[in-house]
Amino acid sequence: MRTEEASTPAIYVGTYGKYNNGNITGAWLSLAEHGTAEEFYDAARKLHKNEHDPELMFQDFENFPREFYGESGCDSRLWEWLALDKHDREIVAAWLDRMGGSDSIEYILGCFVGTADTWEDFVLESVNAMGLLDELPNHLQSYFDFDAYGRNLRHSYTVADTNGAVWVFHNG
């Protein structure tokens, strides 16, 4: 059991040699302690220095998007994701949860529009921010069809429902 902070990204590192001999001995390596891929791989090889040429096997992972994990190696975007602040990490994770894929982190962050408690709240905030009802007399504003507007607006966005909120992204 890991004793580090529960939200620290980490990988359980073993080797194929040990695994093939019925042994899953390895250790959790915190990615926060290794700022680059090179530092991480050096620490992983050092962990298994008792093998002549350890073929690293990443047997488990936690607290980072699945798209960045691989049994034999990690996606290079993982290191870029680790350099982001918490909010930007959440944006990227929401996109990957909804869309998956191999889009660049820069592209994903560029598509991000915002969050709201619900899609309906996002629509209301958008209508207010754009001033769509400003020219309409007050007694007619209640006739605005927010549902219809929201259905049309949804064609321009991808919405990820995550952690009790919606994360909204422009469609590429």
Side-chain angles (χ1 to χ4, degrees):
M1 183 171 166
R2 295 188 58 224
T3 58
E4 295 177 38
E5 183 181 327
S7 62
T8 301
I11 297 175
Y12 188 85
V13 181
T15 67
Y16 283 98
K18 287 181 177 123
Y19 181 82
N20 289 335
N21 289 316
N23 181 343
I24 60 169
T25 300
W28 283 101
L29 291 183
S30 166
L31 298 178
E33 295 175 14
H34 309 287
T36 66
E38 183 177 299
E39 289 175 12
F40 172 76
Y41 285 104
D42 285 347
R45 283 188 291 277
K46 184 177 180 182
L47 176 66
H48 295 287
K49 64 184 177 197
N50 59 340
E51 291 185 40
H52 170 67
D53 186 18
E55 185 179 2
L56 299 175
M57 180 182 190
F58 302 139
Q59 296 168 325
D60 200 1
F61 74 101
E62 59 186 18
N63 301 315
F64 64 87
R66 174 171 285 289
E67 285 76 10
F68 299 155
Y69 167 77
E71 184 179 280
S72 299
C74 294
D75 187 304
S76 61
R77 295 177 298 165
L78 173 60
W79 309 104
E80 187 179 349
W81 181 82
L82 289 166
L84 299 174
D85 64 32
K86 183 179 187 240
H87 184 256
D88 286 351
R89 283 183 183 184
E90 290 174 343
I91 291 169
V92 172
W95 172 280
L96 293 172
D97 284 347
R98 173 70 169 85
M99 304 290 287
S102 59
D103 296 307
S104 73
I105 288 178
E106 181 181 7
Y107 175 79
I108 294 168
L109 293 174
C111 289
F112 180 66
V113 176
T115 63
D117 289 337
T118 65
W119 172 250
E120 292 75 17
D121 289 341
F122 177 80
V123 171
L124 179 62
E125 291 169 17
S126 296
V127 167
N128 290 332
M130 290 186 283
L132 292 180
L133 302 181
D134 291 351
E135 300 296 319
L136 206 55
N138 285 344
H139 70 281
L140 295 177
Q141 289 182 8
S142 64
Y143 290 100
F144 185 81
D145 190 343
F146 284 93
D147 290 335
Y149 183 76
R151 281 191 303 275
N152 287 336
L153 193 62
R154 188 116 183 192
H155 294 290
S156 298
Y157 297 100
T158 296
V159 179
D161 295 309
T162 306
N163 299 327
V166 293
W167 297 71
V168 182
F169 300 88
H170 281 290
N171 287 339

